[in-house]
Amino acid sequence: MKDSFNEFIGMGMTSERSRDNLIETLKQKGIKNNEVLKIMKKIPRHIFVDEAISDQAYDNTALPIGSNQTISQPLIVAKMTELLISKNPKRILEIGTGSGYQAVVLSQFAQKVFTIERIKTLHDEAKRIFKILNIHNIYSKYSDGNNGWPEKACFDAIIYTAAANTISTSISLQLCDNGVLLAPVCVGSKQILREYLKKDNKLIYVDHGEVNFVPLLNGKK
Ligand code: SAH
């Protein structure tokens, strides 16, 4: 675990107590993996959001990060992390860097995290935070995540943090055999958290309930 996280334990609403409350909530809502809980207690979520709303950083809610986007709700970050790391992935691709929070959580469990963001300002800001936190195993790219990162494939795990209509062939080709892909997918008017496993070049899936993400969009901005 990074020592550099310790210096960000702050006062007031970003204090240790507000973090403890969040971890308690995550436990009550079904998060069982102690390593995930431990890491999420350590990571300073308040530095991923604007200072004006940092007093809400340890609430179990999504928060705005500018450009009409959000940092995901802690519970969903914990749930997706728990699902992904149960497969012990070494190399993870994330589509939708956003604030960079999910990437930082994953970076504590994998050798390398590759993350792609289509909005330049968010990409730049996330990179700045990775540097502040002294994290060196996250590789970020400003691009349309629909294309993945073919030069770095294959990935043991792929995570979408924006809701997709379908999983494109080019993305599934970048998943290693026996790899896991987690994505909120649009099914009718709902979004479902779907876990795909790649076996002999075919994707089979299980569903993990309804979720609420911003949509996956095309192109760069
Ligand atoms: N993982 C993020 C959550 C971000 S919200 C976090 O921890 O904060 C989803 C993000 O996906 C947004 O920043 C949005 O701009 C990005 N996104 C949407 N479509 C995309 C695409 N095609 N390629 C890359 N990023 C995309």
Side-chain angles (χ1 to χ4, degrees), residues 172-173 175-179 196-204:
S172 62
L173 283 173
L175 187 63
C176 305
D177 204 32
N178 294 315
Y196 296 86
L197 293 171
K198 188 169 173 178
K199 290 256 180 258
D200 305 322
N201 285 320
K202 272 198 207 126
L203 292 182
I204 45 174

Side-chain angles (χ1 to χ4, degrees), residues 31-215:
I31 303 303
K32 294 194 178 67
N33 187 310
N34 277 325
E35 290 305 307
V36 173
L37 294 165
K38 223 176 358 181
I39 293 289
M40 288 188 60
K41 180 171 154 96
K42 276 256 171 184
I43 296 176
R45 191 171 183 254
H46 63 275
I47 70 165
F48 294 83
V49 297
D50 195 277
E51 225 178 313
I53 54 166
S54 65
D55 60 338
Q56 298 166 55
Y58 299 95
D59 292 351
N60 183 29
T61 52
L63 292 171
I65 52 170
S67 309
N68 273 330
Q69 304 302 321
T70 52
I71 179 172
S72 308
Q73 183 194 21
L75 178 62
I76 194 75
V77 172
K79 191 170 169 179
M80 288 174 98
T81 305
E82 203 173 39
L83 284 168
L84 273 198
I85 67 163
S86 69
K87 304 287 188 305
N88 267 321
K90 291 192 176 72
R91 293 158 49 80
I92 303 179
L93 173 69
E94 179 191 37
I95 299 174
T97 313
S99 68
Y101 180 74
Q102 174 77 73
V104 169
V105 175
L106 292 172
S107 76
Q108 304 303 298
F109 296 100
Q111 277 173 10
K112 292 184 177 178
V113 176
F114 300 87
T115 182
I116 310 175
E117 174 56 56
R118 67 178 286 277
I119 299 177
K120 182 80 166 72
T121 49
L122 294 178
H123 162 81
D124 289 344
E125 179 59 11
K127 257 179 102 164
R128 192 181 69 81
I129 291 181
F130 301 151
K131 210 165 170 187
I132 293 177
L133 291 176
N134 206 15
I135 291 174
H136 301 290
N137 63 338
I138 301 181
Y139 303 84
S140 52
K141 176 163 150 171
Y142 165 52
S143 180
D144 180 351
N146 285 300
N147 305 321
W149 201 329
E151 303 82 8
K152 303 289 183 189
C154 66
F155 303 99
D156 305 305
I158 299 179
I159 175 174
Y160 282 69
T161 63
N165 286 318
T166 51
I167 306 302
S168 68
T169 313
S170 72
I171 294 295
S172 62
L173 283 173
Q174 292 176 38
L175 187 63
C176 305
D177 204 32
N178 294 315
V180 57
L181 185 153
L182 206 52
V185 288
C186 305
V187 180
S189 60
K190 290 185 179 158
Q191 290 179 14
I192 307 288
L193 180 60
R194 195 160 273 183
E195 178 186 11
Y196 296 86
L197 293 171
K198 188 169 173 178
K199 290 256 180 258
D200 305 322
N201 285 320
K202 272 198 207 126
L203 292 182
I204 45 174
Y205 68 80
V206 279
D207 285 344
H208 295 281
E210 219 178 305
V211 285
N212 187 16
F213 279 82
V214 295

